[in-house]
Amino acid sequence: QVQLVESGGGLVQPGGSLRLSCAASGNIFSINAMGWYRQAPGKQRELVAIINIPDGARTNYADSVKGRFTISRDNAKNTVYLQMNSLKPEDTAVYYCNSKTYWLGISREYWGQGIQVTVSS
């Protein structure tokens, strides 16, 4: 079992920056990938960025955030980060941390509770 706790959300002006953190605990050794999803009112939950764990060599980003957002991980802290730059009002959403695990032949996914990011003047 894995628990995920997000932090770093809040209100920021357009063009500003914010860094989200997601700390994982539990069976850390089972984690193959971690990522961020977001959901705005009236819209489907969408992938923002993912990174493989523990290697970190492979990443994927939504087209809408490429060049502005960067996902990274700190294996020593069991934490994944999402650095968000040049923020736009369209980035306003609840952001969810996600963890994909494989342990004893079973694949699972875990989710954080979500954290609000609001981009507004």
Side-chain angles (χ1 to χ4, degrees):
Q1 191 175 18
V2 171
Q3 295 80 44
L4 305 171
V5 179
E6 303 111 326
S7 62
L11 175 65
V12 66
Q13 296 181 62
S17 297
L18 214 56
R19 189 179 76 160
L20 304 182
S21 299
C22 177
S25 60
N27 191 359
I28 302 303
F29 301 103
S30 69
I31 299 175
N32 294 323
M34 292 181 68
W36 292 92
Y37 292 70
R38 68 186 182 187
Q39 187 167 25
K43 297 181 67 177
Q44 294 249 74
R45 191 121 103 201
E46 64 175 352
L47 173 69
V48 177
I50 57 171
I51 186 169
N52 66 303
I53 303 294
D55 181 68
R58 290 180 283 111
T59 59
N60 277 290
Y61 296 91
D63 289 340
S64 59
V65 307
K66 285 180 180 176
R68 299 188 297 121
F69 291 11
T70 303
I71 189 168
S72 62
R73 92 287 184 218
D74 184 338
N75 291 332
K77 295 182 178 181
N78 300 318
T79 299
V80 65
Y81 304 96
L82 185 67
Q83 180 66 47
M84 304 184 292
N85 298 326
S86 302
L87 283 161
K88 305 174 181 180
E90 308 92 84
D91 296 317
T92 296
V94 176
Y95 284 69
Y96 297 89
C97 183
N98 170 267
S99 175
K100 300 182 185 342
T101 67
Y102 183 77
W103 188 253
L104 301 178
I106 299 174
S107 297
R108 288 193 173 101
E109 287 192 348
Y110 298 91
W111 296 90
Q113 66 175 323
I115 188 165
Q116 180 70 45
V117 171
T118 302
V119 185
S120 180
S121 299

